[in-house]
């Protein structure tokens, strides 16, 4: 039965990941969920390990940690049918402000951590020639003209890029890959636990400072998106035979994506003569 499928969800102790795990368990799915600590995960979910729930303590930047978690999932449930890469964190700061260490750490978690999970999960999906992968990015992974979040957005652009490539690679194997672009959803994502700031700020970047302050004092707690509705859509899409490669969630995400498409279309047409003049036969 559909609800006996096995879901593997990273970053499951808060935000969209937590809402997803709770809905899946309520609907009768088998769920393996990861977090940095099992105690925080059990407390957040309100349940400990059971016949249908496997909480896992995982460091997603550590390949062995990920491999062990995937092996435990296979041992308990026999398969992984749906993978949701949700683990990640936000990073505020203008590009010049953020150090190499801060920047690389954001990429390590948001990009390379997800790749670790995909690499360890795909062998089992390939073996049975089926599986669905959802990589949670952000609308900031499609449109990044927001001051003070360029590095974070670039990690999500990377997620979108490798997901699109992955989708073309695994299609012949009966596996799908979808990049999910949520807009602003009312979770704790904008809290200090999920958003990092630069250690060395540069006051010249006034617009970036104002953006950070607005996120902390005005947007946090007032996001328009309902996380419960978002994960319900995700579960519904996962039941489709051929999920889309690109999935936007939220009215704001829809509007921001359309806005960028209009900008690109306008620029393409404005500079078309120059663009196409660069071929040998032009």
């Amino acid at each position: 039965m559909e609800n006996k499928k096995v879901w593997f969800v990273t970053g499951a102790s808060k935000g969209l990941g937590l809402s997803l795990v709770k809905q899946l368990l309520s609907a009768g799915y088998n769920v393996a969920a990861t977090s940095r600590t099992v105690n925080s995960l059990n407390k957040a979910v309100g349940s400990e390990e059971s016949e249908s729930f496997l909480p896992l303590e995982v460091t997603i930047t550590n390949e062995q940690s990920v491999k062990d978690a995937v092996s435990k999932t296979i041992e308990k449930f026999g398969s992984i049918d749906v993978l949701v890469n949700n683990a990640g964190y936000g990073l505020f700061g203008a590009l010049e402000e953020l150090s190499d260490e801060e920047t690389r750490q954001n990429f390590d978690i948001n990009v390379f951590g997800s790749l670790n999970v995909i690499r360890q999960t795909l062998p089992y999906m390939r073996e049975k020639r089926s599986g669905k992968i959802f990589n949670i990015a952000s609308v900031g992974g499609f449109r990044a003209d927001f001051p003070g979040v360029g590095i974070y957005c670039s990690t999500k652009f990377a997620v979108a890029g490798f997901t699109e490539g992955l989708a073309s690679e695994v299609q012949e194997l009966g596996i799908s890959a979808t990049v999910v672009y949520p807009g602003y959803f009312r979770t704790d994502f904008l809290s200090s636990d999920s958003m990092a700031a630069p250690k060395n700020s540069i006051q010249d970047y006034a617009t970036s400072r104002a953006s950070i302050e607005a996120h902390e004092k005005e947007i946090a707690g007032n996001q328009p998106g309902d996380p419960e509705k978002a994960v319900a859509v995700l579960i519904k899409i996962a039941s489709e035979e051929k999920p889309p490669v690109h999935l936007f969630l939220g009215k704001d995400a829809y509007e921001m994506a359309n806005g960028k498409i209009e900008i690109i279309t306008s620029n393409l047409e404005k500079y078309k003569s120059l663009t196409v003049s660069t071929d040998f036969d032009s």
Side-chain angles (χ1 to χ4, degrees):
M1 292 177 63
E2 183 70 22
N3 64 355
K4 291 302 180 183
K5 287 187 178 296
V6 180
W7 288 62
F8 188 98
V9 183
T10 70
S13 63
K14 55 188 175 181
L16 291 177
L18 177 59
S19 294
L20 175 60
V21 168
K22 286 183 174 181
Q23 279 200 32
L24 290 170
L25 290 174
S26 178
Y29 290 92
N30 292 322
V31 181
T34 82
S35 183
R36 285 173 292 181
T37 64
V38 168
N39 287 339
S40 65
L41 180 57
N42 288 339
K43 183 177 180 180
V45 175
S47 175
E48 297 186 355
E49 183 173 350
S50 64
E51 182 179 347
S52 60
F53 179 50
L54 176 63
L56 296 160
E57 188 167 304
V58 177
T59 301
I60 64 170
T61 54
N62 184 302
E63 284 190 295
Q64 189 60 52
S65 178
V66 174
K67 183 176 182 179
D68 291 343
V70 171
S71 295
K72 290 176 182 177
T73 303
I74 297 298
E75 182 179 351
K76 182 177 180 68
F77 296 123
S79 68
I80 294 176
D81 300 296
V82 184
L83 164 63
V84 180
N85 270 312
N86 176 68
Y89 72 97
L91 180 63
F92 278 130
L95 190 147
E96 183 187 353
E97 294 178 304
L98 294 166
S99 67
D100 180 75
E101 180 183 4
E102 290 169 317
T103 299
R104 287 179 183 274
Q105 185 176 19
N106 203 213
F107 271 86
D108 281 344
I109 299 292
N110 293 2
V111 179
F112 295 108
S114 293
L115 290 172
N116 281 339
V117 180
I118 291 169
R119 277 193 295 266
Q120 296 301 326
T121 306
L122 271 177
Y124 299 98
M125 291 185 173
R126 281 194 292 105
E127 183 179 7
K128 62 177 185 171
R129 289 297 194 268
S130 69
K132 291 167 183 175
I133 298 171
F134 292 91
N135 296 319
I136 309 299
S138 162
V139 69
F142 186 80
R143 183 171 183 173
D145 55 344
F146 314 111
V149 287
I151 293 299
Y152 168 71
C153 287
S154 70
T155 69
K156 296 305 185 179
F157 265 79
V159 171
F162 75 64
T163 303
E164 191 169 305
L166 176 65
S168 66
E169 294 167 356
V170 299
Q171 183 179 11
E172 64 182 346
L173 303 173
I175 303 167
S176 68
T178 300
V179 55
V180 183
Y181 306 90
Y184 285 105
F185 280 85
R186 202 168 299 176
T187 68
D188 56 3
F189 181 73
L190 294 179
S191 69
S192 59
D193 289 339
S194 299
M195 292 292 298
K199 295 177 183 177
N200 299 302
S201 62
I202 300 173
Q203 292 310 307
D204 282 347
Y205 290 104
T207 306
S208 294
R209 299 274 78 72
S211 175
I212 294 173
E213 186 174 347
H215 278 81
E216 293 175 341
K217 297 181 178 180
E218 299 173 20
I219 299 176
N222 294 305
Q223 300 96 319
D226 182 341
E228 299 304 320
K229 292 180 179 179
V231 299
V233 168
L234 191 60
I235 294 171
K236 177 178 176 59
I237 292 293
S239 68
E240 294 186 359
E241 183 178 352
K242 294 183 178 181
V245 176
H246 302 273
L247 176 64
F248 291 85
L249 294 177
K251 182 180 178 181
D252 55 350
Y254 178 88
E255 292 175 347
M256 282 187 274
N258 261 332
K260 178 170 181 176
I261 291 169
E262 290 175 2
I263 292 170
I264 291 176
T265 300
S266 175
N267 285 343
L268 277 172
E269 295 308 313
K270 181 177 180 179
Y271 296 102
K272 179 180 178 180
S273 61
L274 292 175
T275 300
V276 302
S277 71
T278 57
D279 291 352
F280 281 110
D281 58 356
S282 299

